[in-house]
Amino acid sequence: MSDNGFEQARDSGATASVNTTPASSSSLALSLQALRREGRISALDWHFARFMVELNGQPCDELLLASVLLNTELAKGNVCIDLGTIAGDCGLPLREWPDVGRWRGALAAVAAYTDGVVYEVKGSWQQAAQDSISQPLVLDGSRLYLNRYWQYECGLALNLRKRAMAPSLVDAASLQASLKRLFGSDKIELDWQQVAAAISVTRRFSVISGGPGTGKTTTVTKLLLATVEQYREAHRGAPRIRLAAPTGKAAARLTESIKQAKSSLQADPQLLAAIPEEASTLHRLLGWQGGGGRFRHHRDNPLLIDLLVLDEASMVDLPMMAHLLEALPDDARLILLGDRDQLASVEAGSVLGDICGQGVPAYSEPQWQQLAALCSDPRLAEPSAQMPRAPIASINDSIGLLRHSYRFAGDSGIGRLAVAVNAGDGLQARQLLDSGPADLNRFQVSQQDYRQMLERAVEGYAPYLQQLQHEDGFDPLAVLGAFGRFQLLCALHQGDYGAEGLNLRVERALRQHGLIVGDGLWYVGRPVMVTRNDYGMRLFNGDIGIAMPDPQRGGEIRICFESAQGQLRWITPGRLPQHSTVFAMTVHKSQGSEFDHPLLVLPPEHSALISRELLYTGITRARKRLDLFVSDAVLERALRTRTHRVSGLAERLWREKH
């Protein structure tokens, strides 16, 4: 949901034509023009840069270069550019770069300048910032922003800090009893689920981060019950709780997980009834109203809720998170769930990663003492390497880190590989892949292995297609379930090893084996993924359906989807929103999903898109078995490549004085 450069300038009140841009014949301008002719700079980025120079009224090479880079880097997911590091980050082969001091000086004369201090304002942060700054660009120290993204970042940082530092009154004795009943007591190991629950119940803003199988949903369901108990004692009623996720697929998984977790709890039915079972997408929660990033709910029309749980928070970009916090009442609680080590959002920012940081969060001494009392575990009050102390309270006091995976046994190859990849331990990763654990198969990338990969894809998809060909008919739910157990994952969209190429080749291989019958686009068994939300059709980005004969329509081919409530929905092809075939999907698209047996294919040559986070995310989609096609060279390069999003959010969250 990013906004392009022209929209940024337009929203700042700038109106001009790009046809009369002041000319410049400097070596820097000539170099940029040459890169434009070579296609190294896109037409959009070039025209935006010329537009910004025209607004300035006179040639300015530093502004021209900065504007080109700003739009280019935003498309890569970076919130801003850092003038001190951009020369080495952007990859543009310019013969000369401006001196940073001279660059900052030139931009300070044409952009709004701020000393980086986030001032608390009355009312809407965004409105106050927009009233005080009319320029399209903001220079904040050495970082250059488009105006709107600077507002997003500053407003979000201020909102999160205020919530994190706000006191939350609880009945300590009652909460201690609730936690002991829900999580047990006298455990040999420290119970980090209980610690995370205690943090979330006692704070207005909290994060529960953990890898696959660490029990994030179980933990949040128990803490919601404890919160309901606290609320009933204080208010003689039930809190208004909502569940949300970035995509329809993630919302469906959260719905299923919450239902399952609730069914295992022994509690007063009235208390359990206060915990909702249906999650919605963020767009639906906020009331998406079409173009321009407008929502029905905002600062002046907030959501009517007391507590919001947001799952798969790593997928949420900076603009969406800023909109969400603006629409959340000041006294409402927010709980973010996610894996901080997964891929960042597709659009700009890495909000969850910026909040959580790296390593074990260091709590303040008062926080450790409170946790020791609430969890009835005096070990939490004793300093140790796994329980670091901080001199003052910070946003770290709001972060619960789950550390034990209940999905993978100690001898699981998948689990150990995920840990090694997350740590960047190439030696351990290679040893695991070479030793061949029962749940992990590794293949090199060669022509022979490529054919073997297609054969394994045929084997993986055969069960659901064979059900569709059964003489006695088929069960649509069983077909959808069989399809969801296997998935081919890849890193790229295009090319022989990307989603587009692999979808064509897998489809061809399935036809050759007689598993796909009939010509045309809509053959029986075609799997499709919705790629754009359609609220009228109640279909959302990430939803997967399969083309099948509809028995209620005389065998007419329609696409069958399973709703979050386990009901079937049949949609005619012509009514489908934007979609694509999904024998193969990118790792980015797979976030929020899990499969019994994924097959992860990386290309033979390294790509800038292949990072440690992408590899970790792909591996952790597996529940029981993983096939990994990767060369030694690409594996080593991926482990050395970290995803880094340029922003100032982490710094703003940690700054002591606002």
Side-chain angles (χ1 to χ4, degrees), residues 82-361:
D82 190 321
L83 303 181
T85 62
I86 187 63
D89 294 341
C90 69
L92 285 183
L94 288 175
R95 291 190 298 271
E96 61 176 284
W97 283 88
D99 172 77
V100 174
R102 179 168 62 87
W103 204 358
R104 288 185 70 246
L107 291 174
V110 299
Y113 179 77
T114 172
D115 57 6
V117 177
V118 180
Y119 297 102
E120 184 169 350
V121 295
K122 184 177 182 180
S124 168
W125 161 261
Q126 291 182 343
Q127 185 61 50
Q130 198 160 6
D131 288 346
S132 63
I133 298 176
S134 60
Q135 290 92 332
L137 305 182
V138 177
L139 181 63
D140 191 332
S142 65
R143 299 187 184 99
L144 184 70
Y145 294 79
L146 291 171
N147 186 312
R148 182 186 294 181
Y149 281 81
W150 180 78
Q151 293 179 39
Y152 286 146
E153 186 176 280
C154 293
L156 179 61
L158 177 63
N159 202 316
L160 289 176
R161 279 185 58 92
K162 288 175 64 177
R163 291 179 189 277
M165 300 305 172
S168 183
L169 300 178
V170 296
D171 185 323
S174 173
L175 179 55
Q176 182 187 47
S178 295
L179 294 175
K180 183 179 294 186
R181 185 182 70 257
L182 292 167
F183 292 92
S185 58
D186 301 326
K187 294 185 178 181
I188 298 176
E189 300 290 335
L190 288 171
D191 188 347
W192 294 109
Q193 289 188 357
Q194 188 180 35
V195 169
I199 291 171
S200 292
V201 177
T202 56
R203 309 193 77 82
R204 195 169 294 174
F205 167 70
S206 61
V207 177
I208 300 178
S209 177
T214 51
K216 295 185 289 293
T217 308
T218 299
T219 302
V220 80
T221 307
K222 290 181 178 180
L223 76 86
L224 287 178
L225 181 57
T227 300
V228 171
E229 292 172 348
Q230 288 280 315
Y231 200 91
R232 184 173 68 171
E233 292 177 6
H235 302 283
R236 298 181 181 275
R240 297 166 296 183
I241 301 173
R242 295 290 299 272
L243 310 174
T247 67
K249 185 69 173 179
R253 281 198 61 237
L254 178 59
T255 296
E256 179 183 353
S257 299
I258 290 288
K259 285 181 179 179
Q260 184 176 355
K262 280 180 62 175
S263 66
S264 65
L265 295 179
Q266 300 295 324
D268 183 337
Q270 288 187 339
L271 296 178
L272 287 174
I275 302 175
E277 295 183 352
E278 185 171 356
S280 68
T281 65
L282 276 177
H283 281 78
R284 190 176 187 88
L285 176 75
L286 294 176
W288 174 245
Q289 294 183 321
R294 295 179 178 84
F295 295 94
R296 184 171 65 256
H297 292 289
H298 42 74
R299 168 66 65 176
D300 297 325
N301 182 31
L303 294 161
L304 299 177
I305 58 177
D306 299 304
L307 189 154
L308 175 66
V309 176
L310 174 60
D311 197 14
E312 298 292 350
S314 64
M315 299 171 65
V316 182
D317 57 58
L318 173 67
M320 177 58 83
M321 193 68 81
H323 284 302
L324 175 65
L325 269 293
E326 277 285 306
L328 200 64
D330 291 338
D331 59 351
R333 299 186 187 186
L334 174 64
I335 302 173
L336 302 183
L337 304 181
D339 186 345
R340 66 178 183 179
D341 298 313
Q342 279 191 191
L343 281 166
S345 59
V346 175
E347 304 293 347
S350 55
V351 175
L352 186 66
D354 286 343
I355 294 171
C356 294
Q358 300 292 319
V360 178

Side-chain angles (χ1 to χ4, degrees), residues 624-644:
K624 299 178 180 179
R625 176 183 168 191
L626 173 69
D627 289 347
L628 177 59
F629 286 75
V630 60
S631 68
D632 290 335
V634 170
L635 175 64
E636 288 293 332
R637 187 74 177 272
L639 293 175
R640 296 196 305 268
T641 303
R642 298 301 305 268
T643 300
H644 173 64

Side-chain angles (χ1 to χ4, degrees), residues 315 343-344 346 461 487-495 497-503 529 531 541-542 544 580-595 598-603 609-610 613-615 617-619 621:
M315 299 171 65
L343 281 166
V346 175
Y461 288 126
Q487 183 62 57
L488 177 58
L489 302 175
C490 53
L492 312 175
H493 284 285
Q494 299 176 328
Y497 292 85
E500 292 182 0
L502 288 171
N503 270 312
M529 172 185 281
T531 56
N541 185 15
I544 292 178
S580 61
T581 302
V582 72
F583 287 118
M585 73 169 70
T586 62
V587 174
H588 270 98
K589 284 291 187 182
S590 74
Q591 290 188 89
S593 300
E594 295 174 353
F595 312 96
L599 191 160
L600 177 58
V601 181
L602 299 184
L609 295 175
I610 303 174
E613 290 80 6
L614 182 139
L615 186 56
T617 303
I619 291 168
R621 299 310 90 199

Side-chain angles (χ1 to χ4, degrees), residues 536-556:
M537 293 297 298
R538 291 181 291 122
L539 290 173
F540 306 102
N541 185 15
D543 286 353
I544 292 178
I546 298 176
M548 311 182 199
D550 184 353
Q552 303 298 320
R553 297 286 182 130
E556 173 189 344

